[in-house]
């Protein structure tokens, strides 16, 4: 079944795109979630908040894998690399960072 990921304030939730049913709540950030994306293989989800933190989640279980804290302002973009091994983030602090998915 198709699924989508979205945010309600500070929570990251997964929804079935066909039925609209909530599948699970992955967890939350300190403040609102601005950007969310799936890894190319669908195994991980990355989310970025307006507190400047990024979290990586296991899509299947909802477990938090890593919390990345190196931006000082709102996350403006979160994207996985085509091979899913890296995440690139940008923030309103005028920085762009590249993260390793396995090690954070």
């Amino acid at each position: 079944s198709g699924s989508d990921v979205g945010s309600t304030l500070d929570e990251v939730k997964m929804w079935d795109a066909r039925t609209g049913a909530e599948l699970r709540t992955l967890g939350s950030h300190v403040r609102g979630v601005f950007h969310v994306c799936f890894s190319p293989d669908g195994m991980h989800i990355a989310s970025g908040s307006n507190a400047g933190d990024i979290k990586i989640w296991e899509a299947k279980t909802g477990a938090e894998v890593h919390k990345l804290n190196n931006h000082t302002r709102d996350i403006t973009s979160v994207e996985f690399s085509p091979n899913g091994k890296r995440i690139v983030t940008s923030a309103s602090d005028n920085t762009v960072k590249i993260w390793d998915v396995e090690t954070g």
Side-chain angles (χ1 to χ4, degrees):
S1 83
S3 61
D4 227 352
V5 177
S7 165
T8 311
L9 300 175
D10 61 352
E11 293 181 323
V12 179
K13 294 181 178 258
M14 187 180 291
W15 305 83
D16 186 299
R18 287 186 291 180
T19 67
E22 182 181 327
L23 300 174
R24 72 180 53 87
T25 298
L26 302 179
S28 63
H29 285 265
V30 175
R31 289 191 284 189
V33 177
F34 278 11
H35 295 277
V36 179
C37 66
F38 275 99
S39 63
D41 64 5
M43 300 294 288
H44 293 98
I45 297 167
S47 58
S49 79
N50 67 358
D53 64 316
I54 300 98
K55 292 188 178 185
I56 303 172
W57 314 86
E58 285 185 4
K60 189 172 186 175
T61 66
E64 184 180 315
V65 178
H66 294 294
K67 182 176 180 183
L68 312 170
N69 294 316
N70 225 352
H71 288 290
T72 59
R73 304 269 316 264
D74 304 0
I75 301 300
T76 57
S77 180
V78 176
E79 293 293 331
F80 279 89
S81 64
N83 67 8
K85 294 182 184 233
R86 304 261 188 281
I87 295 173
V88 63
T89 59
S90 62
S92 58
D93 61 6
N94 297 318
T95 61
V96 174
K97 303 202 181 272
I98 299 173
W99 312 85
D100 184 284
V101 172
E102 293 299 317
T103 64

